[in-house]
Each structure stands twice: as C-alpha cells, then as structure tokens.
Amino acid sequence: MPPVISAVSPSQGPTTGGTTVTVTGTGLTGATAVRFGSTPATSYTVNSATQITALTPPGSVGSAAVTVVSPTGTSNAVSFTYIAAAVPVVTGVTPSSGPTSGAVTVTLTGTGFTGATAVLFAATPATSFTVNSATQITAVTPAGSPGGAPVTVTTPGGTSAVSPTAYFYYAAPPVLLGASPSLGAAAGGTTVTLTGSNLLNPTAVRFGSTPAGSFTVVSSTQITATAPPGTGNTQITVTTPGGTSNPAAFAYVAAPTLTGLNPGSGPTVPGAVITLSGTALSTASAVKVGTAAAGFTVVSDTQITVAVPAGPVGPVSVTVTTEGGTSNSLTYTRVAPPGI
C-alpha cells in the first residue's frame, strides 16, 4: 500500500523555502522522495514509519501539495501554504551601549524575526542569538570598536534596513590617571577631582566598594566626586557603559586632635613659640591662633611647633587643620608686658 500522510507541521512558510516541516502518517519507511507540488524537498530524513522531517524548497505564494513517494506508490496530498516572506525590521536595541569587549546580552525588538539566520553588529556576527518570537530576539554582542554599530537581522525574507533606532554603541573602557587630592577626611565630604579618559556617561563612582556621595561629569576627561566616609587606604573606580576603570589611590585621614599646648601663655608681641601635641597632625595645612593664621612646623604626627602672631591681651583658641579636618581647640593666653 502507498504511504498515507495525516499532517504537515508547520503548514505554512516563506516563499524563500528553508522551513523545517514534520510530515506524519503511516507507511513512510523507505520513502524515496518528498515533494512540495512538483518540487523535491531540499532535504528530508525518515525518522520512522510514521514521521519524516523535510526542508521546504523555494515556492510561489499559495498552496502546494505535499506528497511522499515510496516503492509502494505515492501518498495522498496534504496542503502546505507558501506566504510572502516579510523583510525584518529592527526598532529597538536594549541596552543600546556596552564595552568594546562585547559579551553584553541585548534585546532586539521589531517585526519579522521568525526564522532569523543571522544577527550582525556592523559586519560582525553576534556571538549567539535566540529568536524569542516574531518581534523579539536576544543576542550577545561580539567585540567591537568604539562608536556606533548598526544592528541588522537576516531572515528568509531578507535583511533589515539600517535605522537610527537599530544601533549599538561600543564604549571604550574608562581610564583614570589620578585623583586630587589623594587624601581626605575619614568623615567623608572631600571633593575629589578625577582625571583620565573615556569618562562620559558614568553609572557609578566608587571609593572601594562604597558609592561616592555624589559626582558630576565635567568632561570626557574629568569627574568631580564627593568622598563618602571611610578609613585607611582605598581605591577609586569609575564605571561607564565601557566597563570599570583602573583604580586610583585614595587614603582616608583621621581627624586631628589636640591634647596639649605648651607654654599656655605668652606676650602680645610676635616671637613666642608654642608646642602643640596631639594625634593625626602630620598633614597639617593650617594653624590658627584666634582668627589669625600662624606659621608652623610639623615635627611629627603628634607634635607641631607654632610661631604665635601678635595679638591683644586675653585668651584665644588654637586649632589645627589637616586633610582629615579641623581639630578641637586649646586655649593660649596673651599677657600684657609688665608696667614701668
């Protein structure tokens, strides 16, 4: 008896051919041909006596009779419909930017994606892609050069046109050349200027693993950031669509403290020298006696000598300012010279 076909699935496909269809029925063992109209299938495989998979040849719009030929005769016919293949259209790429190293999973939206055979970023094939539906593809970006790469999809219906909405932008990795100042208060709040290259569109500035209190992009070569609270040595990094930068060194400095002032009094005229003792004094940038700036010498992290400026009789506060902030105050008293 000749073979019998009960179904063909799917029952339609593009006129360009290339659709894999499953033919089910009985008596299919030993099939010598599968035809779509009068045209042989591009290829076919007899899976069992009840199933054949075949690849459709190109055809004309409309219905084509599918038949199976075997030594026992030719089967009944089951209809397969050829439809005009739609040219795919890409309307969106999300995310639309990433590093030149590739490996970013992007979602393409549009129409006519069924049967996609290629996804290109400029002239480079996607590392991999999956057709989720006729309107969505997920693809993994290949490595690329800095700049915009048109994204195209190829299906049996053709290749999508390049459009402004179908671009992926490769960003060069950010590079940091330095941070100024490279020291800041442990309490945070220090404004740090980062210099480098490819610093546009940052998504994060971090001091170690802690996000900056805030940051502002000045240009592609400069960012200002507010240091968060921290301790010890850390590293600043900038993250952009191009990746995460090399680190720039930054150190947190403890706030200075004053524990002693000797001598505690002196003349109203300049020339008196006092010794301040305390902690975290090595980065001192200013010493004030009252509101006046005083000359000073850092002896060690725990000692500073200060030349007291002239001033009126009475007590004044003495403070030290370092990279870690301004210290507590101690009192120095100016005394009048003896009368004659």
Side-chain angles (χ1 to χ4, degrees), residues 49-85:
T50 61
Q51 187 183 87
I52 293 175
T53 53
L55 195 64
T56 63
S60 301
V61 172
S63 179
V66 181
T67 56
V68 174
V69 179
S70 77
T72 60
T74 299
S75 72
N76 60 303
V78 174
S79 180
F80 178 85
T81 302
Y82 280 103
I83 58 176

Side-chain angles (χ1 to χ4, degrees), residues 40-144:
T42 302
S43 64
Y44 70 92
T45 301
V46 179
N47 302 317
S48 67
T50 61
Q51 187 183 87
I52 293 175
T53 53
L55 195 64
T56 63
S60 301
V61 172
S63 179
V66 181
T67 56
V68 174
V69 179
S70 77
T72 60
T74 299
S75 72
N76 60 303
V78 174
S79 180
F80 178 85
T81 302
Y82 280 103
I83 58 176
V87 176
V89 176
V90 180
T91 57
V93 180
T94 305
S96 60
S97 61
T100 55
S101 56
V104 175
T105 298
V106 298
T107 299
L108 310 182
T109 52
T111 59
F113 292 162
T114 301
T117 56
V119 175
L120 298 183
F121 289 76
T124 306
T127 302
S128 64
F129 69 90
T130 301
V131 179
N132 302 318
S133 68
T135 60
Q136 187 183 88
I137 290 175
T138 53
V140 177
T141 62

Side-chain angles (χ1 to χ4, degrees), residues 165-179:
T165 60
Y167 267 83
F168 181 82
Y169 294 89
Y170 284 101
V175 176
L176 287 181
L177 298 178

Side-chain angles (χ1 to χ4, degrees), residues 235-304:
Q235 296 180 327
I236 306 173
T237 56
V238 174
T239 300
T240 72
T244 298
S245 71
N246 59 299
F250 185 81
Y252 284 102
V253 179
T257 59
L258 292 179
T259 57
L261 182 156
N262 187 48
S265 62
T268 57
V269 296
V273 175
I274 60 175
T275 298
L276 302 177
S277 55
T279 61
L281 304 179
S282 61
T283 63
S285 57
V287 174
K288 285 191 174 181
V289 178
T291 58
F296 65 92
T297 299
V298 176
V299 178
S300 68
D301 194 51
T302 60
Q303 190 177 91
I304 292 177

Side-chain angles (χ1 to χ4, degrees), residues 115-232:
T117 56
V119 175
L120 298 183
F121 289 76
T124 306
T127 302
S128 64
F129 69 90
T130 301
V131 179
N132 302 318
S133 68
T135 60
Q136 187 183 88
I137 290 175
T138 53
V140 177
T141 62
S145 300
V151 181
T152 57
V153 173
T154 299
T155 70
T159 298
S160 61
V162 175
S163 74
T165 60
Y167 267 83
F168 181 82
Y169 294 89
Y170 284 101
V175 176
L176 287 181
L177 298 178
S180 180
S182 59
L183 301 174
T190 302
T191 299
V192 181
T193 298
L194 306 175
T195 55
S197 59
N198 307 319
L199 302 181
L200 293 178
N201 303 312
T203 55
V205 175
R206 293 186 175 89
F207 288 67
S209 60
T210 306
S214 63
F215 63 86
T216 301
V217 179
V218 179
S219 68
S220 65
T221 61
Q222 188 178 98
I223 290 174
T224 56
T226 303
T231 57

